[in-house]
Every structure is written in structure tokens, then in C-alpha cells.
Amino acid sequence: MNILDTIKTRRSVREFKDQEIPESAIDVLIEALRWAPSAGNLQSRKFYFVLNEELRSKLAQAGLRHDYVSFIARAPLVIVACADLRIGSRYAERGTDLYCIQDTAASVQNLLLAAHDQGLGTCWVGAFKEDKVKEILEMPDYLRPVVLVPVGYPTKTPKAPDRLIRNDCVIVLP
């Protein structure tokens, strides 16, 4: 599939089959994360690949609304995307407040598209308690969890949500 088709057909999936993800597909996801652009090529992001059922369940409990994010526990894989705050040593506040977040977001977008291309469903989840996730995964202080991404084979694919029309989201300057 071409990249624009991949972008347009990717959906947020919240229902997954009880099916293991092959190591070859996980390798593709890792490569997609690694090859995202980053500020100063410092690659100030780290990723936890959580396959353990007990840890996935705990991560779901770290959600801001347990009823809404319980689907996290049912995914065979949860990826926790973290900003690496050590970028501040090079870029000061701009590095810790912005660049590492941008780096992480760019990687997650690559991940979402690569997963879709592999026939996997994902969902970008930001509604969670950062301190709880850090505790569950015993993260060092310099990592900040930014996104949880449950990954699995979808049981159903939602239809496309409405999008803003071009003139409402793009300003073209002559």
C-alpha cells in the first residue's frame, strides 16, 4: 500500500483478537520507531515493549478512566513511548519541554503506520497517570512516559472519523 493510503486507512483500534504478534512484525515496529526524525539526531526517546499480561493489566489500571482504557490489558502488546529528558543537557528547557516530546511523537506516528501496514491495530493513548506507569515499569527519573500504544490484530476496524476540510486546517501563504 502506498504511504497516503496507509495514512488514510489507519484507525484507532480498541478491540483485539487473542492472537500473538510474530517476532518479525515486532522487528518491523522497532525499526519504524528507530528511524523517526529527532532533534539534533539525539534520538531522545525510549520504548518499553510490554508483552507480560500482568504488566499490561497494571498499565490499563494506570488509565485516567478505567472503564475507557481497559482495552489496553486485552492487547497482546503494549508499547510505552517515553521522552528521554537527558536531551536537556544539550538543548536546555526547549529540549526537555519540547524536543523530546516531538521526537517521541514522530516515532509513535511511524509505529502506528508500520503496525497498520503489518495488519495490526493500534491506539494512541495519552489518558494515563505518568507516575503510576513509571512505578509499574520501574523507570529511571530521566524518562517520561508520553504515550501508551496497545497493539494487536483488530477484531473490527472502525470507520473513518470526519476530518476538517482543507481550508479549516491549512493556511497557504503566497
Side-chain angles (χ1 to χ4, degrees):
M1 146 173 14
N2 75 49
I3 191 67
L4 196 52
D5 287 341
T6 303
I7 291 167
K8 287 182 174 184
T9 59
R10 188 214 57 83
R11 298 285 172 271
S12 292
V13 173
R14 293 176 179 85
E15 294 181 36
F16 304 99
K17 295 178 183 175
D18 184 18
Q19 182 179 345
E20 192 174 305
I21 301 169
E23 194 172 321
S24 60
I26 290 175
D27 289 342
V28 169
L29 302 180
I30 291 169
E31 288 302 296
L33 290 167
R34 290 181 58 235
W35 284 95
S38 68
N41 195 34
L42 293 179
Q43 302 172 50
S44 58
R45 62 272 169 130
K46 298 282 182 266
F47 305 94
Y48 287 74
F49 277 57
V50 182
L51 297 162
N52 177 282
E53 185 176 355
E54 183 181 340
L55 286 177
R56 293 191 328 261
S57 180
K58 287 180 180 180
L59 289 171
Q61 292 170 17
L64 294 179
R65 285 185 46 207
H66 298 293
D67 57 327
Y68 175 72
V69 294
S70 62
F71 68 92
I72 293 170
R74 293 189 298 274
L77 167 64
V78 176
I79 299 170
V80 182
C82 302
D84 187 335
L85 304 176
R86 292 177 295 183
I87 193 174
S89 66
R90 174 136 177 223
Y91 291 113
E93 270 184 30
R94 191 125 173 110
T96 56
D97 295 347
L98 181 63
Y99 296 165
C100 61
I101 304 296
Q102 291 174 328
D103 290 359
T104 305
S107 288
V108 171
Q109 178 67 4
N110 276 12
L111 166 75
L112 300 179
L113 297 174
H116 178 53
D117 191 56
Q118 295 287 307
L120 294 164
T122 58
C123 187
W124 183 303
V125 178
F128 61 89
K129 298 174 192 127
E130 289 182 33
D131 57 336
K132 185 81 171 156
V133 170
K134 285 182 70 115
E135 178 185 314
I136 292 165
L137 298 179
E138 300 177 5
M139 289 182 182
D141 288 340
Y142 60 83
L143 291 182
R144 179 182 179 194
V146 177
V147 181
L148 304 180
V149 183
V151 182
Y153 291 98
T155 58
K156 65 179 184 178
T157 303
K159 61 182 196 164
D162 292 334
R163 293 286 181 218
L164 292 173
I165 61 171
R166 288 170 64 125
N167 292 341
D168 286 346
C169 65
V170 177
I171 300 168
V172 179
L173 302 174

